[in-house]
Amino acid sequence: MTRHLNDLIASRRAFLGGLAGLPLLNLAACATSSAPGGASAARTVNFTPIAATNADTITLPPGYSWRTLIAWGDPLFDTASAPLDLNALTRAEQEQRFGVHNDMLALFAADYAFPPPKDQDRMLLCVNHEYASAELAFPAITAPQQFTSAHIEALLASVGVSVVEIERVNGAWRVVTNPAPGEGRNRRITAFTPVRFTGPAANHPWINAAATAFNAAEPGTPAGEVACGTHSNCAGGLTPWGTYLTAEENFDGTFAGAPESLAAWRASDPDFDFDARSFEYPKPYLPEALAPSQFRIAQNPHGPSVYGWIVEIDPYNPDAAPRKLTALGRKKNECATTALAADGRVAVYMGDDQRNEFVYKFVSRRAFDPANRAANFGLLDDGDLYVAQFHEDGGGVWLHLTPENANAAAAREGSPARFADQGDVCMRARQAARLMGATPMDRPEDVEALLDANWRGLGPVLIVCTNNSINGQARPGNPRRESDDPAAPQVNLAGHIIRIDEAGADVAATRFSWGIFAMGGDPNATALTAPTRDARPAHVSVAYQGEPTFAGDRFACPDNLFIDSTHRVWIATDGNDGVFADCNDCVVATASAADAAEGPRLVKRFLVGPVGAEICGPLMTPDEKAFLCCVQHPGGNDVAGADFSSARWRGAPVPSHFPDGGDSWPRSAVIVVTRDDGGRIGD
Ligand code: FEO
Ligand code: CA
Ligand code: CA
Ligand code: CA
């Protein structure tokens, strides 16, 4: 078994002895080259940090205000202009309205240009809608048995992606509705939208088998397309040629049925068996009798193979089918962050967010052409796929995922698994990566590369490991210590952020060095552990190599990052309240620079979200005068931690009324934060 990253972190701690980690924390040397106007890198984030809170609203520093930009069910088209009735949502209605449970955000200039222009009063906003939860839908329903197949179809139309035109009027950003679908650039892409498969796995037999089932359920699908749409879209990325990359993550939850119905398939095909076990499908969430046929696992056993991809969407062309980029590998993708290499090739970083899965990188064969946008479509269909292997000495390599390398590794490991071609490697990327010795990690979520103003990757890359709750991490190497007994079970409830530095400051490199950017936790803790809401102890020390990785405000379970133009890092959390019960999920910010004379980097709490919501998709407008983020699933749990998925059916009141207040039903929403004096966020 390949050593877990936590073993390597702890080993590295011993290997380095007393060497201070601070230089590794410092992004400043890289930040200066791209700071606006040649200004030096930000050494501070200037706002008054806010206190921890469980308030059911958005809490901000003095001098900052927020407003809702758009929320679940708001119309994208004038054809949906009737007042929103959450109880009456149908597939047809939802296809004209903003989706649910928003996660990733990306902004595009109204007219494509490269490099992206800074001053924009009209933009295209792309938004992921990760999943729909029954307990937060259809407020009038009082028992799960009241759900119908029409309800389920509406929920499957509430996920996917929205493209929304927005404009700034008198300093305030607002949504621009279009007259009707196809008239303007607003768009909904759902779990039913026809898509194309491109790259080496486009004709993989599993996809071909699934396509038959999907298209049979959606008559009229254009030739060459598959009516599987996209869902489980968590984070993502955007390309220098102005396309949106949405990352399919927990697709297993959309397939209904009894696990036993796959028994014969699994027994006859060990590769399929690995796939079903690794991705953990089917799940018990969707009632089989109500699910559309293509989402019933017994009728479409290879259905899960059309998900787990990075999907490229052209926000400038609402008629273009989304493209599933199979060259980037299939996994539970959190993100797809692009950076240009020194020679113009495109690197894409991706985290596979499941316990003990890996971090991947794709590097295109051809270079980006800034003078010819159309020439760049297809760049991500041809290139090299890698997975990260971390070494104890602080080095690491990007292992090249090819059929030759994977088959040699399988033979070496005594495994009967074999890979027919590159398409098979991409389809079964997890299996190939594991055989080749990729390093298991604590749920790698967002991966963000430092870029200059021309999209060139500068070398440093931050990898967020949100947490790992499995007690099976009972190995002495775990950097998290619930006790000083190294044999005691160890978990990593607070997560950490890793930094890698690509060799030669080139994102196309196949070697890197690595260290710890931050250990999630409480820099002011007086004990090794803190009791969580469910009384489980969480290790909350933020020290690494004997030095605190940061000072200031505590945070846990980092998920998404935004790195601004001066390389200040804005960190959004998902599960902070599970570790620090007195504070809902939040956004904290830290300066790009830290040096030994000033002590550890200072983290400041910038924003706290409402009850039961994760905060995700942190982003700024190009002029950095507006901060946007997603408030996802407000009311998903109450302040005491009770999950609404079960509490609702016992008659519990909904735990949040965000964003509309009063007695309203909660809705996921995108919010905009601005400074009251109109200045740059955090200056
Ligand atoms: Fe959807 Fe990885 O969080
Ligand atoms: Ca989420
Ligand atoms: Ca996430
Ligand atoms: Ca998450």
Side-chain angles (χ1 to χ4, degrees):
M1 171 74 184
T2 309
R3 298 179 77 201
H4 194 280
L5 183 72
N6 290 339
D7 288 334
L8 300 170
I9 291 172
S11 302
R12 183 150 191 244
R13 189 196 306 258
F15 184 89
L16 291 174
L19 276 183
L22 281 173
L24 201 59
L25 290 169
N26 201 335
L27 304 182
C30 306
T32 47
S33 61
S34 69
S40 63
R43 303 190 71 82
T44 57
V45 187
N46 286 325
F47 57 80
T48 304
I50 58 174
T53 176
N54 290 124
D56 187 31
T57 186
I58 300 292
T59 306
L60 293 167
Y64 285 82
S65 301
W66 69 277
R67 57 198 293 274
T68 303
L69 179 66
I70 192 167
W72 170 42
D74 286 349
L76 301 184
F77 305 101
D78 299 338
T79 44
S81 57
L84 173 65
D85 179 354
L86 290 178
N87 286 308
L89 272 182
T90 60
R91 172 175 168 180
E93 267 297 305
Q94 189 63 81
E95 285 171 346
Q96 301 181 66
R97 295 178 178 275
F98 192 68
V100 75
H101 288 10
N102 33 213
D103 198 297
M104 164 83 184
L105 297 175
L107 280 168
F108 298 84
D111 297 304
Y112 171 74
F114 186 85
K118 290 290 178 199
D119 292 316
Q120 292 286 300
D121 286 324
R122 196 170 178 110
M123 300 197 79
L124 296 175
L125 176 68
C126 290
V127 186
N128 280 355
H129 303 290
E130 184 171 7
Y131 69 106
S133 40
E135 70 275 13
L136 289 170
F138 302 108
I141 287 180
T142 56
Q145 297 76 15
Q146 294 166 10
F147 278 91
T148 65
S149 55
H151 289 127
I152 302 300
E153 201 172 34
L155 294 180
L156 288 166
S158 72
V159 298
V161 172
S162 292
V163 181
V164 189
E165 298 191 61
I166 62 172
E167 65 178 359
R168 180 162 49 188
V169 177
N170 298 326
W173 287 95
R174 67 183 191 193
V175 165
V176 181
T177 58
N178 291 169
E183 298 178 30
R185 295 187 288 198
N186 287 354
R187 185 179 188 186
R188 277 306 322 282
I189 296 164
T190 73
F192 302 111
T193 304
V195 304
R196 286 185 181 276
F197 284 81
T198 64
N203 289 306
H204 193 282
W206 291 2
I207 292 178
N208 289 337
T212 303
F214 279 103
N215 290 352
E218 294 287 314
T221 302
E225 299 182 7
V226 183
C228 62
T230 184
H231 60 70
S232 312
N233 310 80
C234 200
L238 59 176
T239 67
W241 53 95
T243 59
Y244 182 53
L245 300 177
T246 182
E248 296 177 334
E249 194 193 34
N250 297 313
F251 56 86
D252 48 308
T254 307
F255 287 89
E260 305 77 53
S261 62
L262 289 180
W265 289 84
R266 294 180 63 161
S268 67
D269 184 347
D271 299 331
F272 179 74
D273 180 62
F274 181 96
D275 202 73
R277 186 160 26 92
S278 176
F279 288 110
E280 302 177 343
Y281 57 78
K283 279 283 198 306
Y285 306 146
L286 201 55
E288 187 176 14
L290 302 182
S293 61
Q294 65 272 40
F295 294 109
R296 297 182 196 174
I297 200 76
Q299 295 181 34
N300 190 9
H302 283 304
S305 72
V306 302
Y307 302 109
W309 303 105
I310 302 296
V311 188
E312 184 172 19
I313 294 168
D314 183 356
Y316 297 99
N317 181 3
D319 298 324
R323 299 163 73 249
K324 299 215 176 186
L325 307 174
T326 67
L328 276 60
R330 176 164 161 266
K331 47 207 177 288
K332 288 188 179 177
N333 293 293
E334 171 74 16
C335 65
T337 299
T338 64
L340 294 174
D343 59 7
R345 288 182 293 157
V346 188
V348 187
Y349 293 93
M350 298 162 282
D352 183 352
D353 179 12
Q354 188 168 302
R355 296 175 189 90
N356 308 326
E357 290 297 333
F358 317 123
V359 165
Y360 296 78
K361 178 171 75 170
F362 173 86
V363 180
S364 67
R365 187 175 60 81
R366 289 190 294 124
F368 166 61
D369 181 352
N372 182 358
R373 180 175 187 246
N376 299 301
F377 286 81
L379 269 192
L380 303 184
D381 292 329
D382 184 12
D384 297 308
L385 184 63
Y386 301 93
V387 66
Q389 183 185 63
F390 292 74
H391 298 162
E392 172 175 349
D393 64 359
V397 295
W398 290 105
L399 303 170
H400 193 188
L401 290 165
T402 65
E404 296 77 21
N405 290 344
N407 288 334
R412 210 165 44 238
E413 297 289 314
S415 165
R418 290 297 181 270
F419 298 83
D421 52 25
Q422 186 64 27
D424 209 21
V425 169
C426 292
M427 173 64 77
R428 297 158 55 207
R430 279 183 166 183
Q431 196 177 2
R434 186 163 270 100
L435 286 165
M436 286 177 57
T439 300
M441 304 174 76
D442 287 355
R443 294 186 52 199
E445 295 241 33
D446 210 353
V447 183
E448 290 292 328
L450 264 69
L451 305 179
D452 72 10
N454 292 309
W455 221 289
R456 165 96 182 266
L458 296 166
V461 178
L462 298 180
I463 301 171
V464 180
C465 291
T466 193
N467 61 44
N468 195 335
S469 58
I470 295 179
N471 249 344
Q473 300 300 320
R475 48 176 70 92
N478 194 318
R480 294 294 184 186
R481 292 293 158 89
E482 295 168 7
S483 80
D484 288 327
D485 173 7
Q490 312 289 340
V491 296
N492 179 9
L493 296 182
H496 53 249
I497 302 174
I498 297 163
R499 169 178 172 167
I500 67 170
D501 283 82
E502 297 277 29
D506 188 346
V507 294
T510 55
R511 308 193 73 83
F512 58 85
S513 57
W514 64 275
I516 299 298
F517 181 78
M519 301 285 276
D522 182 358
N524 304 308
T526 54
L528 194 63
T529 62
T532 63
R533 209 164 32 192
D534 60 4
R536 192 177 193 183
H539 181 281
V540 292
S541 167
V542 303
Y544 177 62
Q545 294 174 14
E547 301 281 349
T549 52
F550 68 91
D553 291 330
R554 55 184 153 88
F555 70 94
C557 304
D559 187 333
N560 297 145
L561 303 180
F562 174 70
I563 303 177
D564 68 24
S565 65
T566 46
H567 295 173
R568 299 173 303 180
V569 181
W570 303 74
I571 304 165
T573 70
D574 174 14
N576 185 80
D577 57 337
V579 176
F580 300 120
D582 65 349
C583 192
N584 303 338
D585 271 312
C586 58
V587 175
V588 297
T590 186
S592 59
D595 67 35
E598 294 177 356
R601 172 196 317 283
L602 191 62
V603 165
K604 292 181 174 181
R605 191 182 292 113
F606 174 66
L607 177 154
V608 180
V611 172
E614 73 177 84
I615 306 298
C616 37
L619 180 67
M620 288 190 203
T621 50
D623 60 10
E624 302 192 338
K625 291 182 175 177
F627 176 94
L628 292 81
C629 64
C630 284
V631 178
Q632 187 180 158
H633 55 73
N637 57 265
D638 68 11
V639 170
D643 198 317
F644 195 53
S645 63
S646 52
R648 177 176 174 184
W649 314 119
R650 295 196 301 267
V654 67
S656 170
H657 303 289
F658 187 85
D660 304 313
D663 292 331
S664 63
W665 192 257
R667 297 188 293 155
S668 291
V670 180
I671 64 157
V672 185
V673 175
T674 50
R675 259 172 62 172
D676 297 341
D677 64 4
R680 180 180 181 244
I681 303 293
D683 267 4

